[in-house]
Amino acid sequence: MPEKTVNIMIGGAAGQGLATVGQLLTKSLIRSGYHVVVRQDYMSRVRGGHNTYIIRASVDEIYAPREAMDFLVALNQETVDLHLNELGDGGLIICDEALDSKGRPGLSISFKDLAPKPIFQNVAALGLLASLLGLDRDVPAKLLTDTFTKKGEAIVKQNHEVLDAAYAWVAEQNAGIEPLAPVPAPVKRLMMGGNEAIALGAMAAGVKFCSFYPMTPATSVAQNLITHGRELGVVVEQVEDEIAAMNMAIGASYAGARSLVPTSGGGFALMTEGVSLAAVAETPLVCVVAMRPGPATGLPTRTEQADLNLVLYAGHGEYPRAIFAPGTVEEAFRLAHRAFDQAERYQSPVFVLSDQFLADSFRSVEPFDTRSLPAPASPLKEWAGEGPYERYAVTDSGVSPRVIPGFSETLVVGDSHEHTPDGHITEDIEMRIEQKQKRLRKGCGLWEDVVAPSYIGPESPDVLLVSWGSTKGAADEAAMDLRADGVQAASLHFSQVWPLKLDQFAAKFDAAKKIVVVEGNATGQFAALLKLAGAQYTGLVLKYDGRPFTPEYIVTALHKSGALEA
């Protein structure tokens, strides 16, 4: 009977082309109509190191990576040695005949017979997997054509020959492997990662300037803007350090360009003085912080959710801020767009808090409907109000009219010190208090605009799993697994983690017998914020080994903690 879901790990050394195999297979699966979740693990090495590319594909919608592998595709012996025990019951190993599969059932292949040169072995692996999964040969063939046409017809022909040889080899084996159940009417979907979605959301919002200093796992936000933003007039500047990146973005924003700074925790730590500058100068700014495990360099290519407090308290002085934490690729797109609107609407720094797992995780997503997005707030080009223009005019909302300098005769005066309404430096006691209170009043507007958490499950669950950011998929599927086992379980996901609006979720907390917060750090940073907001939880499931959550990890932790006992 055809399988509805498959979990594949491709492992090898950096440079063996496993990312090429993985991406081509992922695209083939998506074009064939399957839902896909991809997880990438790679080591922090300039060259070499052991990497894996894990694809979970399903006829039905899926949200998270799973642990037990159905196929382990080993491109080297190290993959066999490290990951053989991750094969599930009935799982098969696929490797070259020169490798020791240690007696595990599977397929032993002579890659040198299928591929005329080692450079084509990744295409041979693609053909083997696509054939075993029952994918129409024309799907990967067209992908190869699309990918290699620029290199000439001869290269395309050679790739097709290797693909055909792999399909023919599988047909001769009669391996008895059940293919994936076909999707009768495939829906058009895109293959997209979290950072790519953030960049697209920023472009949909009209980003015009991005300054950055490269830092994994945030760099690909800027790289995507470089690749796709040129036609939209986006200027991307790689600068000498993080301080320059932040200050250059503030300057561009002051001059009217919607500005973005992507970085990771270590880079953001260096930027925080600039964050304060943006706050006191009331300059809109969107900062994407893609988390990785610290302190310091920590595990630079792994994932964690431990920079929430860093972002929440970044910068000296007091000022309101909004922090978004997308849980899916779709949310990464929408929240990046929303961040630009809020940054302009409240003339303050706004943060998109992501992590390595989401940044590098490819998903199958339906094309975004950009026409349904509201137009982000915009500054003024000239002053048409009563009286002389005052950049920091005191208002009930705390938001002053923002005129971009240079577009009209309006004189715009800004200052990084405490200032008067017309932008001149002051140390006057009353004015200091008035301006401080004005800036803090923006927090009321931000609080009113909070994105409500999403809820899935019964109305009065025995256990409520609370997640934020990229933990959403694993928490949602863990709750689904528990419901399948007869446990009344629900999940509540926060895609905005600050400010928190208690009346948006208090009823869900009150209705649940147990509330367990699931987050990727060692101290329960978000759980502490919930308590600060007035919500009480009963348990924590934490993970801080540098790897993303899985549903199995959450369910096992709940059993161990006794959270599922009546």
Side-chain angles (χ1 to χ4, degrees):
M1 182 176 179
E3 300 290 339
K4 295 186 72 175
T5 301
V6 67
N7 206 17
I8 305 165
M9 175 186 285
I10 306 167
Q16 279 193 288
L18 63 94
T20 302
V21 181
Q23 290 184 10
L24 289 172
L25 182 61
T26 303
K27 287 182 180 178
S28 297
L29 286 161
I30 292 172
R31 290 189 181 187
S32 300
Y34 298 98
H35 296 272
V36 167
V37 172
V38 169
R39 167 189 164 189
Q40 295 189 74
D41 285 340
Y42 50 97
M43 299 184 73
S44 175
R45 301 286 186 275
V46 174
R47 186 174 184 176
H50 176 69
N51 300 345
T52 59
Y53 192 102
I54 304 169
I55 307 168
R56 184 180 176 217
S58 177
V59 174
D60 302 317
E61 197 164 0
I62 51 177
Y63 311 101
R66 288 280 185 171
E67 293 184 0
M69 300 297 154
D70 298 302
F71 295 108
L72 173 62
V73 182
L75 302 184
N76 62 5
Q77 188 61 45
E78 189 178 20
T79 302
V80 180
D81 298 339
L82 291 175
H83 301 289
L84 199 61
N85 61 357
E86 295 179 47
L87 279 170
D89 294 339
L92 301 174
I93 183 169
I94 300 172
C95 63
D96 190 272
E97 62 186 7
L99 302 182
D100 178 9
S101 62
K102 302 187 174 180
R104 188 79 185 201
L107 294 174
S108 182
I109 306 152
S110 174
F111 276 106
K112 65 181 180 182
D113 290 340
L114 293 179
K117 299 177 183 176
I119 195 173
F120 291 110
Q121 288 186 2
N122 51 14
V123 176
L126 168 68
L128 290 168
L129 286 167
S131 179
L132 289 170
L133 296 175
L135 303 188
D136 188 325
R137 177 260 177 203
D138 289 346
V139 176
K142 185 171 188 315
L143 271 174
L144 291 174
T145 302
D146 295 343
T147 304
F148 296 111
T149 291
K150 288 189 291 187
K151 295 188 176 182
E153 291 185 10
I155 296 296
V156 172
K157 183 173 181 291
Q158 286 179 299
N159 277 283
H160 281 187
E161 289 172 352
V162 174
L163 183 74
D164 290 342
Y167 265 73
W169 186 88
V170 171
E172 292 171 358
Q173 302 309 304
N174 191 22
I177 297 172
E178 292 294 342
L180 273 171
V183 178
V187 174
K188 183 179 180 180
R189 297 191 183 90
L190 307 173
M191 173 181 167
M192 189 174 297
N195 277 0
E196 192 174 12
I198 287 173
L200 291 175
M203 285 188 281
V207 65
K208 290 298 180 189
F209 183 77
C210 170
S211 48
F212 76 108
Y213 186 77
M215 191 168 189
T216 303
T219 303
S220 58
V221 174
Q223 290 172 329
N224 276 289
L225 289 174
I226 293 169
T227 302
H228 303 297
R230 189 183 301 273
E231 294 181 6
L232 299 176
V234 182
V235 174
V236 182
E237 183 75 10
Q238 179 178 330
V239 297
E240 68 270 25
D241 58 36
E242 285 85 353
I243 296 172
M246 176 59 73
N247 290 340
M248 194 177 284
I250 293 170
S253 181
Y254 175 76
R258 297 191 199 282
S259 298
L260 171 69
V261 179
T263 187
S264 187
F268 185 68
L270 297 169
M271 296 178 175
T272 54
E273 185 180 10
V275 174
S276 283
L277 170 59
V280 75
E282 305 194 38
T283 305
L285 180 72
V286 174
C287 190
V288 176
V289 181
M291 294 178 284
R292 67 189 207 185
T297 308
L299 299 171
T301 60
R302 305 293 179 182
T303 197
E304 201 163 82
Q305 291 182 302
D307 291 339
L308 173 56
N309 283 341
L310 171 67
V311 173
L312 178 61
Y313 300 111
H316 51 289
E318 300 165 302
Y319 51 91
R321 69 195 73 193
I323 306 174
F324 298 108
T328 64
V329 168
E330 291 89 342
E331 284 188 354
F333 173 78
R334 291 198 304 271
L335 293 176
H337 180 275
R338 186 181 179 87
F340 278 92
D341 176 58
Q342 290 220 337
E344 182 61 49
R345 194 175 298 280
Y346 299 101
Q347 298 172 24
S348 63
V350 172
F351 304 94
V352 178
L353 193 54
S354 178
D355 55 47
Q356 182 270 330
F357 168 54
L358 182 62
D360 294 331
S361 178
F362 292 108
R363 313 289 175 96
S364 48
V365 299
E366 295 186 21
F368 302 132
D369 180 10
T370 56
R371 294 170 298 183
S372 66
L373 295 171
S378 296
L380 305 172
K381 291 187 176 179
E382 62 179 333
W383 175 239
E386 296 180 359
Y389 174 68
E390 292 184 329
R391 173 65 190 93
Y392 305 116
V394 177
T395 63
D396 291 341
S397 67
V399 180
S400 309
R402 189 168 90 97
V403 175
I404 302 302
F407 280 87
S408 67
E409 296 294 323
T410 303
L411 176 64
V412 180
V413 181
D415 202 303
S416 63
H417 295 75
E418 193 54 271
H419 40 246
T420 58
D422 60 0
H424 291 90
I425 186 171
T426 184
E427 295 192 14
D428 179 82
I429 293 174
E430 297 300 325
M431 184 52 61
R432 159 65 179 177
I433 293 172
E434 197 168 20
Q435 285 292 327
K436 175 104 172 184
Q437 291 178 343
K438 177 191 107 66
R439 291 190 293 270
L440 291 178
R441 281 200 295 275
K442 297 180 189 178
C444 298
L446 286 168
W447 190 80
E448 290 292 339
D449 275 351
V450 168
V451 177
S454 60
Y455 183 84
I456 302 173
E459 287 303 313
S460 299
D462 295 327
V463 60
L464 174 63
L465 301 179
V466 178
S467 65
W468 64 277
S470 72
T471 308
K472 173 181 171 55
D476 285 351
E477 286 208 18
M480 291 166 60
D481 288 354
L482 290 170
R483 289 197 294 274
D485 288 338
V487 178
Q488 292 294 301
S491 57
L492 182 70
H493 177 260
F494 288 78
S495 59
Q496 182 165 359
V497 291
W498 193 259
L500 291 172
K501 199 171 180 179
L502 182 61
D503 60 8
Q504 289 181 331
F505 58 91
K508 300 301 182 189
F509 273 51
D510 291 342
K513 292 179 182 175
K514 295 180 180 178
I515 300 115
V516 178
V517 183
V518 180
E519 55 181 315
N521 57 57
T523 57
Q525 294 182 20
F526 184 62
L529 292 186
L530 289 171
K531 190 174 287 186
L532 189 65
Q536 297 297 322
Y537 60 91
T538 57
L540 292 169
V541 173
L542 305 176
K543 196 171 195 289
Y544 42 91
D545 58 5
R547 275 68 176 175
F549 275 100
T550 62
E552 295 92 331
Y553 181 93
I554 295 171
V555 172
T556 299
L558 291 172
H559 280 294
K560 284 183 179 177
S561 68
L564 299 179
E565 296 176 3

